[in-house]
Amino acid sequence: MPSKRSFIHVCLLLFLVAWGCRQKDLPVLKVDAVHSQTHRPDKTEAPPYEIGSAAGVILDSAEFQFPAFGKADARPNVVQIVGGEHAMYAARFDPSSKNELSADTLRPMKSSPEFSGFKAGDEFIIAIGDQLPPPSAGKPAPFRVMWIAMMKVKK
């Protein structure tokens, strides 16, 4: 008969496997120049990312070179997504890794409700940029956009 301790280890292992599988089910959006609405010399509109309904997405920016703002240390550190007046969210962003955008990472901005996933028919703007400290107490922190794209959730 298995011990209580080995039962707990098996349960923990199953939980970790399930957690890892959950992470892999999220669509991956590769941050690239093709989808970028910024720095388009030909002035055309970039195609949107298209995904099915999902609890979140993974932004993979490992191969993308973000523009600098005249400062060598200017690096993107925040991603914001906007899906209308009451669907605004932000999360920390690390340009050298894959960043999950889900209820676990996205924080509501202004009067938005908690993030509940990407639903059929939703459209979002995804903006990656440099969030600076607030200029003074009570003032909003400036957000300098370095990359922006559209994302549509298929119906």
Side-chain angles (χ1 to χ4, degrees), residues 88-127:
M88 301 169 68
Y89 305 93
R92 288 250 164 253
F93 183 80
D94 178 355
S96 63
S97 71
K98 295 179 180 179
N99 293 264
E100 179 180 328
L101 303 182
S102 68
D104 293 336
T105 61
L106 290 167
R107 300 295 161 243
M109 297 169 55
K110 299 189 181 182
S111 60
S112 298
E114 293 293 319
F115 182 76
S116 61
F118 298 108
K119 313 271 189 300
D122 284 350
E123 292 186 20
F124 281 88
I125 296 169
I126 304 170

Side-chain angles (χ1 to χ4, degrees):
M1 175 167 213
S3 71
K4 185 176 180 180
R5 186 175 184 165
S6 63
F7 175 75
I8 291 171
H9 285 125
V10 168
C11 288
L12 180 60
L13 179 62
L14 290 173
F15 171 78
L16 292 173
V17 168
W19 178 258
C21 291
R22 181 185 149 272
Q23 299 290 334
K24 293 176 187 169
D25 289 343
L26 298 179
V28 176
L29 306 180
K30 204 153 193 60
V31 175
D32 58 22
V34 172
H35 293 93
S36 176
Q37 296 288 348
T38 55
H39 310 292
R40 296 188 68 81
D42 60 1
K43 307 290 187 220
T44 60
E45 190 170 313
Y49 291 100
E50 291 189 15
I51 64 166
S53 295
V57 296
I58 302 290
L59 284 182
D60 181 357
S61 62
E63 297 176 16
F64 187 74
Q65 183 66 41
F66 288 93
F69 289 109
K71 293 170 39 178
D73 63 343
R75 289 176 38 123
N77 58 7
V78 170
V79 58
Q80 294 182 1
I81 65 169
V82 178
E85 195 173 317
H86 298 290
M88 301 169 68
Y89 305 93
R92 288 250 164 253
F93 183 80
D94 178 355
S96 63
S97 71
K98 295 179 180 179
N99 293 264
E100 179 180 328
L101 303 182
S102 68
D104 293 336
T105 61
L106 290 167
R107 300 295 161 243
M109 297 169 55
K110 299 189 181 182
S111 60
S112 298
E114 293 293 319
F115 182 76
S116 61
F118 298 108
K119 313 271 189 300
D122 284 350
E123 292 186 20
F124 281 88
I125 296 169
I126 304 170
I128 299 171
D130 181 19
Q131 185 87 53
L132 302 172
S136 60
K139 298 284 184 181
F143 179 69
R144 299 183 297 185
V145 175
M146 299 171 139
W147 182 90
I148 192 167
M150 296 293 299
M151 182 184 74
K152 294 183 178 184
V153 184
K154 299 175 197 169
K155 292 183 180 184

